[in-house]
Amino acid sequence: MITIPAIRGFTRADLDAVLAIQASSPGTACWSRADYEHVLRGDFAGWIAECESGIRGFAVARRMADEIEILNLAVAPEVRRSNIGTALLREAMLWGSEGGAHRAFLEVRDTNFAAILFYERNGFLGVGRRRRYYSNPEEDALLLACSIVRERAAAVR
C-alpha cells in the first residue's frame, strides 16, 4: 500500500528520477534534461511526490497573469491510481490560487483516456483541440481548462 506522498519542490538531484518516470509514461510530454533547467532556474514551478520508496511523480506548471498552465505531470506506472497525481495537481492548483490565478489550462493527448478522465474528475473541461500538437507519435491535443477557486484547489480529489 502506498502512503500519501510528501510533496516538495523540484531540485537538480531529482532529474534522473523525473526522466525515468517520464520515460515510463508515454502519454506525458517528452522533455529533455535541458528543458527541466527552466524549473531549476525558477522560470517554472515544479514539484516532486516522494514516498518512502523514493520519487514517484512530478508536476511542472507556469503562471501567466491570472492563469496557470500545467506543463507536465506524470506518476510512475507502478503507483498510478494511488492519489499521487491528485496530490501533485492539488499542489499546482494551490500555487496558482495563492498567486492570484483564476484559471488553469493543460494539453493532453487525445488518446490518453486515463489522463482525460483524471482531469475531468478534477474539474477540467474540454475547451479546444490543437491539431498535430504532439509528435512521436503525431497526435492531436485536447485543451482542457478549469476555474481555480481556493476551495476547489484545496479539494481536488
Side-chain angles (χ1 to χ4, degrees):
M1 180 174 174
I2 296 293
T3 59
I4 299 299
I7 306 297
R8 62 170 176 78
F10 193 110
T11 69
R12 185 169 306 283
D14 301 323
L15 282 173
D16 288 339
V18 164
L19 289 166
I21 292 168
Q22 177 182 280
S24 67
S25 305
T28 194
C30 295
W31 286 20
S32 69
R33 184 176 292 272
D35 292 331
Y36 287 106
E37 289 292 326
H38 291 283
V39 179
L40 299 171
R41 285 194 314 256
D43 300 337
F44 304 149
W47 303 274
I48 297 297
E50 191 166 28
C51 301
E52 56 282 337
S53 57
I55 295 170
R56 295 294 175 244
F58 69 92
V60 176
R62 68 177 165 185
R63 190 170 33 231
M64 301 155 301
D66 64 347
E67 299 176 344
I68 66 167
E69 182 179 10
I70 309 293
L71 298 170
N72 218 344
L73 189 152
V75 173
E78 66 275 10
V79 293
R80 288 187 186 141
R81 299 181 192 271
S82 61
N83 293 319
I84 291 173
T86 300
L88 288 162
L89 183 59
R90 178 182 296 124
E91 192 69 23
M93 298 291 274
L94 283 170
W95 171 79
S97 174
E98 290 167 357
H102 299 289
R103 197 159 180 185
F105 289 92
L106 59 88
E107 289 95 3
V108 62
R109 288 179 186 270
D110 68 352
T111 58
N112 192 343
F113 303 116
I116 293 166
L117 182 60
F118 167 75
Y119 290 120
E120 287 176 345
R121 278 194 331 256
N122 286 290
F124 283 82
L125 300 172
V127 295
R129 176 179 293 271
R130 299 188 195 283
R131 301 271 178 217
R132 298 186 306 276
Y133 182 79
Y134 291 104
S135 58
N136 230 8
E138 186 176 281
E139 290 183 63
D140 289 356
L142 297 180
L143 178 61
L144 306 179
C146 177
S147 294
I148 297 177
V149 292
R150 193 164 189 77
E151 295 78 25
R152 177 180 287 156
V156 169
R157 325 178 251 302

